[in-house]
Amino acid sequence: MTRRAVVLSAVAVAGLAAGGAFWFAMPGAAEPTAIATPAPQAPKVSVVKAKRRDVTARVTVSGTLVPREEVYVLPEIDGLVIEDILAEEGDHVREGQVLARLSRATLDVQLAQNAANLARNAAAIAQVKAQISEAEANQIQAASALERAAKLKTSGITTLDTFEQRQAASRAGTAKLQAAKDGLAAAEADKKLTEAQRAELEIKLARTEIKAPRAGLISRRNAKLGSVAAMAGDPLFKIIADGAVELEAEAAEAELPRIKAGQSASVTAPGGDAVLAGTVRLVSPEVDKATRLGHVRISLPAGAPLAIGSFARGQVEVGRHTGVTLPVQAVIHTKDGAQAQVVKDGRIETRAIRLGLVGEGFAEIVSGLQDGETVVARAGTFVRDGDMVTAVPEAEQEARR
């Protein structure tokens, strides 16, 4: 190749790189030859369209499964031996059901003694009543004798000494009658005391049957055959009232104001095999100073196979809207707020937008974007406002890969 041809080739390459047409004359050619060059292509970018859809915002919480209300079953009488156990952990029990029985031998002996005391009280009362009847008869007789003596004394037939004797006898009869009546009151009081003691014994006997104060699920049994029941010791049984279990979860301080009582929640049970629908029951008004976490109670369906003390995760639905949305990766976050790079007529238009709910990988666009507009799919793409681009739908781009 001659030097002239080399120079012409270099110029031709430069012309091709610049685009358009390049004219040059070949040696021996009558006229210059024109070579067309392709125009430079704009860079390709993946784009998505803004679409209307439901956006659900959720807050993730985690914590421990606990009873909503735990009932402690304690003996109401001390010093008796547990002789029978009728319920085990995991049993569902009804209110008033007998869970265990204590030995009642000592109380039966005391009850027999009380019955004997009651019989003695009844006999004492009968005896005193007989004494009253006798005293009343004697008092009537003495009063009659005194009346006759008074009449005879007035007529001078009887002596003063006899009158005084009749008078003393009448007073003694009255005193004996009153003493007999007081004795009856004392005997009746003794009987009431014995009856009260019997009522106390009957209460103690009833308490030898340990009953469930509430219906629910037995979560723990501490009662052991042969052990002595004590009111001050550990509870014999622990019952989950009505079998109601909750997730006592912790939520970040910043997310806590978004969680309200009554909101729906989904809880992943231990093992992750089942997702349970729950409801927020309680949001604590206090945040832990050390961890900056707040407590949330989520009620779960009764009867779910859940182990108390297990770790579980939950998601609380804090909002649900229908509106124009973008994938979250299409949103640019700057110090001035959120932005989106809209592709319009092959050019980039950087536009400020206002966000609403964010959830499930999508962000609600409250303002700044219309349904159906095309947006650069991934924020951070190296294009700027006003750049020419070739829009390629993200699904098509993924298919090519």
Side-chain angles (χ1 to χ4, degrees):
M1 181 181 293
T2 65
R3 182 178 180 185
R4 182 180 178 186
V6 171
V7 172
L8 289 174
S9 298
V11 173
V13 170
L16 289 170
F22 178 73
W23 295 81
F24 69 96
M26 293 293 294
E31 294 181 357
T33 302
I35 299 178
T37 61
Q41 290 188 351
K44 296 179 180 180
V45 294
S46 298
V47 295
V48 294
K49 287 188 177 295
K51 293 182 179 180
R52 291 186 63 83
R53 71 177 70 231
D54 290 337
V55 180
T56 302
R58 292 182 171 88
V59 173
T60 300
V61 297
S62 60
T64 305
L65 296 174
V66 298
R68 176 172 179 174
E69 185 178 355
E70 192 169 36
V71 180
Y72 287 1
V73 182
L74 291 161
E76 297 180 90
I77 183 171
D78 275 321
L80 299 182
V81 175
I82 299 174
E83 66 177 12
D84 199 7
I85 296 175
L86 305 175
E88 291 292 341
E89 294 177 358
D91 289 352
H92 288 272
V93 297
R94 64 183 182 278
E95 184 176 347
Q97 181 175 333
V98 179
L99 307 179
R101 289 192 177 95
L102 307 180
S103 173
R104 52 181 288 166
T106 303
L107 295 175
D108 284 338
V109 171
Q110 294 176 1
L111 192 65
Q113 292 174 344
N114 181 267
N117 289 335
L118 278 175
R120 185 172 59 188
N121 293 147
I125 290 173
Q127 184 178 9
V128 172
K129 285 182 177 179
Q131 291 174 356
I132 289 174
S133 297
E134 182 182 358
E136 285 176 343
N138 292 336
Q139 195 270 340
I140 292 172
Q141 184 179 6
S144 298
L146 177 62
E147 185 178 356
R148 287 194 303 271
K151 291 179 180 179
L152 293 173
K153 177 179 175 294
T154 303
S155 59
I157 297 175
T158 186
T159 63
L160 178 61
D161 184 53
T162 302
F163 173 76
E164 289 177 349
Q165 288 177 359
R166 300 289 186 273
Q167 191 176 42
S170 177
R171 290 175 179 172
T174 302
K176 286 181 180 180
L177 177 59
Q178 185 60 46
K181 290 181 178 179
D182 292 342
L184 177 61
E188 289 176 342
D190 287 341
K191 182 181 179 182
K192 288 181 178 179
L193 176 60
T194 306
E195 289 173 344
Q197 291 171 345
R198 184 179 185 84
E200 182 182 4
L201 286 171
E202 288 173 348
I203 290 174
K204 288 182 177 180
L205 283 169
R207 289 176 177 175
T208 59
E209 290 189 338
I210 308 299
K211 298 180 180 181
R214 288 277 299 274
L217 175 70
I218 296 179
S219 61
R220 182 174 299 180
R221 172 178 75 85
N222 295 319
K224 299 184 183 302
L225 287 175
S227 62
V228 178
M231 296 171 64
D234 292 333
L236 299 181
F237 298 89
K238 290 183 180 180
I239 297 176
I240 302 172
D242 302 321
V245 177
E246 294 185 332
L247 173 61
E248 184 178 39
E250 293 180 330
E253 178 183 22
E255 301 286 3
L256 197 63
R258 303 173 65 192
I259 303 176
K260 308 293 181 185
Q263 290 175 336
S264 299
S266 57
V267 175
T268 303
D273 296 332
V275 177
L276 303 175
T279 304
V280 176
R281 183 180 68 85
L282 178 67
V283 180
S284 174
E286 183 178 0
V287 173
D288 189 279
K289 295 180 181 178
T291 63
R292 314 310 302 177
L293 297 174
H295 290 274
V296 178
R297 287 265 190 158
I298 299 176
S299 298
L300 298 174
L306 300 173
I308 300 303
S310 299
F311 175 83
R313 293 183 182 275
Q315 287 192 323
V316 180
E317 185 178 312
V318 297
R320 181 188 291 269
H321 288 168
T322 300
V324 178
T325 64
L326 282 179
V328 291
Q329 62 266 28
V331 178
I332 303 173
H333 296 277
T334 70
K335 63 179 181 179
D336 297 323
Q339 295 178 344
Q341 292 180 313
V342 181
V343 179
K344 192 171 183 180
D345 299 329
R347 290 186 179 275
I348 296 294
E349 179 184 323
T350 302
R351 193 182 298 174
I353 58 176
R354 186 161 65 90
L355 301 181
L357 294 181
V358 177
E360 300 176 329
F362 290 91
E364 179 191 13
I365 311 302
V366 177
S367 63
L369 196 64
Q370 300 297 319
D371 183 23
E373 288 193 282
T374 303
V375 178
V376 176
R378 300 187 181 276
T381 302
F382 295 101
V383 290
R384 297 182 180 180
D385 192 34
D387 286 354
M388 294 290 295
V389 295
T390 300
V392 179
E394 189 175 43
E396 181 181 330
Q397 187 87 336
E398 293 292 336
R400 289 177 179 177
R401 292 178 186 174

Short mmCIF file of all heavy atoms in Angstrom, two decimals, residues 249-279:
data_model
loop_
_atom_site.label_atom_id
_atom_site.label_comp_id
_atom_site.label_asym_id
_atom_site.label_seq_id
_atom_site.Cartn_x
_atom_site.Cartn_y
_atom_site.Cartn_z
N ALA A 249 -43.78 -9.04 71.30
CA ALA A 249 -42.73 -8.68 70.35
C ALA A 249 -42.13 -7.32 70.68
O ALA A 249 -42.72 -6.51 71.40
CB ALA A 249 -43.30 -8.66 68.93
N GLU A 250 -40.96 -7.09 70.10
CA GLU A 250 -40.28 -5.81 70.22
C GLU A 250 -40.26 -5.13 68.85
O GLU A 250 -40.04 -5.79 67.83
CB GLU A 250 -38.86 -6.01 70.74
CG GLU A 250 -38.80 -6.51 72.18
CD GLU A 250 -37.39 -6.69 72.66
OE1 GLU A 250 -36.51 -6.98 71.82
OE2 GLU A 250 -37.14 -6.52 73.87
N ALA A 251 -40.48 -3.84 68.87
CA ALA A 251 -40.46 -3.05 67.63
C ALA A 251 -39.53 -1.87 67.81
O ALA A 251 -39.39 -1.33 68.93
CB ALA A 251 -41.87 -2.57 67.28
N ALA A 252 -38.90 -1.46 66.72
CA ALA A 252 -37.98 -0.33 66.77
C ALA A 252 -38.71 0.94 67.17
O ALA A 252 -39.89 1.13 66.84
CB ALA A 252 -37.30 -0.15 65.41
N GLU A 253 -38.01 1.79 67.86
CA GLU A 253 -38.59 3.04 68.36
C GLU A 253 -39.21 3.87 67.23
O GLU A 253 -40.30 4.44 67.39
CB GLU A 253 -37.50 3.84 69.07
CG GLU A 253 -37.93 5.18 69.60
CD GLU A 253 -36.76 5.93 70.22
OE1 GLU A 253 -35.60 5.63 69.87
OE2 GLU A 253 -37.01 6.83 71.04
N ALA A 254 -38.55 3.91 66.07
CA ALA A 254 -39.05 4.71 64.96
C ALA A 254 -40.31 4.12 64.35
O ALA A 254 -41.13 4.84 63.78
CB ALA A 254 -37.96 4.84 63.89
N GLU A 255 -40.49 2.79 64.45
CA GLU A 255 -41.65 2.14 63.85
C GLU A 255 -42.84 2.05 64.80
O GLU A 255 -43.97 1.87 64.36
CB GLU A 255 -41.27 0.71 63.41
CG GLU A 255 -40.14 0.64 62.41
CD GLU A 255 -40.58 1.07 61.02
OE1 GLU A 255 -41.74 1.49 60.87
OE2 GLU A 255 -39.75 1.02 60.09
N LEU A 256 -42.58 2.20 66.09
CA LEU A 256 -43.64 1.99 67.08
C LEU A 256 -44.85 2.90 66.88
O LEU A 256 -45.99 2.44 67.01
CB LEU A 256 -43.06 2.17 68.49
CG LEU A 256 -43.89 1.60 69.64
CD1 LEU A 256 -44.02 0.09 69.50
CD2 LEU A 256 -43.27 1.95 70.98
N PRO A 257 -44.69 4.20 66.53
CA PRO A 257 -45.88 5.05 66.35
C PRO A 257 -46.79 4.60 65.22
O PRO A 257 -47.96 4.97 65.19
CB PRO A 257 -45.27 6.43 66.06
CG PRO A 257 -43.89 6.39 66.64
CD PRO A 257 -43.44 4.98 66.45
N ARG A 258 -46.28 3.79 64.28
CA ARG A 258 -47.11 3.34 63.16
C ARG A 258 -47.98 2.15 63.54
O ARG A 258 -48.91 1.82 62.81
CB ARG A 258 -46.20 2.95 61.99
CG ARG A 258 -45.28 4.07 61.51
CD ARG A 258 -44.31 3.56 60.47
NE ARG A 258 -44.99 3.13 59.26
CZ ARG A 258 -44.41 2.44 58.28
NH1 ARG A 258 -43.14 2.07 58.40
NH2 ARG A 258 -45.09 2.09 57.20
N ILE A 259 -47.68 1.51 64.65
CA ILE A 259 -48.41 0.31 65.06
C ILE A 259 -49.55 0.71 65.99
O ILE A 259 -49.35 1.41 66.97
CB ILE A 259 -47.47 -0.69 65.75
CG1 ILE A 259 -46.31 -1.05 64.82
CG2 ILE A 259 -48.23 -1.95 66.15
CD1 ILE A 259 -45.27 -1.94 65.45
N LYS A 260 -50.75 0.25 65.68
CA LYS A 260 -51.95 0.58 66.47
C LYS A 260 -52.69 -0.70 66.84
O LYS A 260 -52.63 -1.71 66.12
CB LYS A 260 -52.89 1.49 65.66
CG LYS A 260 -52.24 2.73 65.07
CD LYS A 260 -51.79 3.70 66.13
CE LYS A 260 -51.16 4.95 65.49
NZ LYS A 260 -50.61 5.87 66.51
N ALA A 261 -53.38 -0.65 67.95
CA ALA A 261 -54.22 -1.77 68.36
C ALA A 261 -55.30 -2.03 67.32
O ALA A 261 -55.89 -1.09 66.78
CB ALA A 261 -54.85 -1.50 69.72
N GLY A 262 -55.52 -3.30 67.01
CA GLY A 262 -56.53 -3.68 66.02
C GLY A 262 -55.97 -3.94 64.63
O GLY A 262 -56.69 -4.47 63.77
N GLN A 263 -54.70 -3.58 64.37
CA GLN A 263 -54.12 -3.83 63.05
C GLN A 263 -53.89 -5.33 62.85
O GLN A 263 -53.59 -6.06 63.78
CB GLN A 263 -52.81 -3.06 62.90
CG GLN A 263 -52.99 -1.56 62.79
CD GLN A 263 -51.67 -0.81 62.76
OE1 GLN A 263 -50.66 -1.30 63.23
NE2 GLN A 263 -51.69 0.40 62.21
N SER A 264 -53.99 -5.76 61.60
CA SER A 264 -53.75 -7.16 61.26
C SER A 264 -52.26 -7.46 61.27
O SER A 264 -51.43 -6.58 61.01
CB SER A 264 -54.32 -7.47 59.88
OG SER A 264 -55.72 -7.25 59.85
N ALA A 265 -51.95 -8.70 61.58
CA ALA A 265 -50.56 -9.13 61.61
C ALA A 265 -50.48 -10.59 61.19
O ALA A 265 -51.44 -11.35 61.32
CB ALA A 265 -49.98 -8.95 63.00
N SER A 266 -49.34 -10.96 60.65
CA SER A 266 -49.07 -12.36 60.33
C SER A 266 -47.84 -12.78 61.12
O SER A 266 -46.85 -12.07 61.15
CB SER A 266 -48.83 -12.54 58.83
OG SER A 266 -47.75 -11.72 58.39
N VAL A 267 -47.95 -13.92 61.78
CA VAL A 267 -46.88 -14.41 62.66
C VAL A 267 -46.39 -15.74 62.14
O VAL A 267 -47.19 -16.66 61.88
CB VAL A 267 -47.38 -14.54 64.10
CG1 VAL A 267 -46.30 -15.15 64.99
CG2 VAL A 267 -47.80 -13.18 64.65
N THR A 268 -45.09 -15.84 61.97
CA THR A 268 -44.47 -17.08 61.55
C THR A 268 -44.15 -17.90 62.77
O THR A 268 -43.37 -17.48 63.62
CB THR A 268 -43.20 -16.82 60.73
OG1 THR A 268 -43.53 -15.99 59.61
CG2 THR A 268 -42.60 -18.11 60.23
N ALA A 269 -44.78 -19.06 62.87
CA ALA A 269 -44.59 -19.93 64.03
C ALA A 269 -43.19 -20.52 64.02
O ALA A 269 -42.52 -20.54 62.98
CB ALA A 269 -45.65 -21.03 64.02
N PRO A 270 -42.74 -21.03 65.16
CA PRO A 270 -41.42 -21.66 65.23
C PRO A 270 -41.29 -22.77 64.18
O PRO A 270 -42.19 -23.58 64.00
CB PRO A 270 -41.39 -22.24 66.65
CG PRO A 270 -42.32 -21.37 67.43
CD PRO A 270 -43.41 -20.98 66.47
N GLY A 271 -40.17 -22.78 63.48
CA GLY A 271 -39.96 -23.75 62.42
C GLY A 271 -40.31 -23.21 61.05
O GLY A 271 -39.88 -23.75 60.04
N GLY A 272 -41.12 -22.14 61.02
CA GLY A 272 -41.47 -21.50 59.76
C GLY A 272 -42.41 -22.28 58.88
O GLY A 272 -42.56 -21.99 57.69
N ASP A 273 -43.09 -23.30 59.43
CA ASP A 273 -43.98 -24.13 58.62
C ASP A 273 -45.37 -23.52 58.47
O ASP A 273 -46.11 -23.88 57.56
CB ASP A 273 -44.11 -25.53 59.24
CG ASP A 273 -42.78 -26.26 59.23
OD1 ASP A 273 -41.96 -25.98 58.34
OD2 ASP A 273 -42.56 -27.11 60.12
N ALA A 274 -45.74 -22.66 59.39
CA ALA A 274 -47.11 -22.12 59.35
C ALA A 274 -47.07 -20.63 59.64
O ALA A 274 -46.26 -20.16 60.44
CB ALA A 274 -47.99 -22.83 60.38
N VAL A 275 -47.95 -19.90 58.96
CA VAL A 275 -48.10 -18.47 59.20
C VAL A 275 -49.50 -18.26 59.79
O VAL A 275 -50.50 -18.65 59.18
CB VAL A 275 -47.92 -17.66 57.91
CG1 VAL A 275 -48.16 -16.18 58.19
CG2 VAL A 275 -46.53 -17.88 57.34
N LEU A 276 -49.56 -17.66 60.96
CA LEU A 276 -50.81 -17.47 61.67
C LEU A 276 -51.28 -16.04 61.54
O LEU A 276 -50.47 -15.10 61.61
CB LEU A 276 -50.64 -17.83 63.15
CG LEU A 276 -50.14 -19.24 63.44
CD1 LEU A 276 -49.88 -19.42 64.93
CD2 LEU A 276 -51.14 -20.27 62.96
N ALA A 277 -52.58 -15.86 61.34
CA ALA A 277 -53.16 -14.52 61.29
C ALA A 277 -53.41 -14.05 62.72
O ALA A 277 -54.02 -14.76 63.52
CB ALA A 277 -54.46 -14.54 60.50
N GLY A 278 -52.92 -12.88 63.03
CA GLY A 278 -53.09 -12.32 64.37
C GLY A 278 -53.60 -10.90 64.32
O GLY A 278 -53.80 -10.33 63.24
N THR A 279 -53.79 -10.32 65.50
CA THR A 279 -54.27 -8.95 65.63
C THR A 279 -53.49 -8.27 66.74
O THR A 279 -53.29 -8.85 67.82
CB THR A 279 -55.77 -8.91 65.96
OG1 THR A 279 -56.49 -9.64 64.97
CG2 THR A 279 -56.28 -7.49 66.01
#
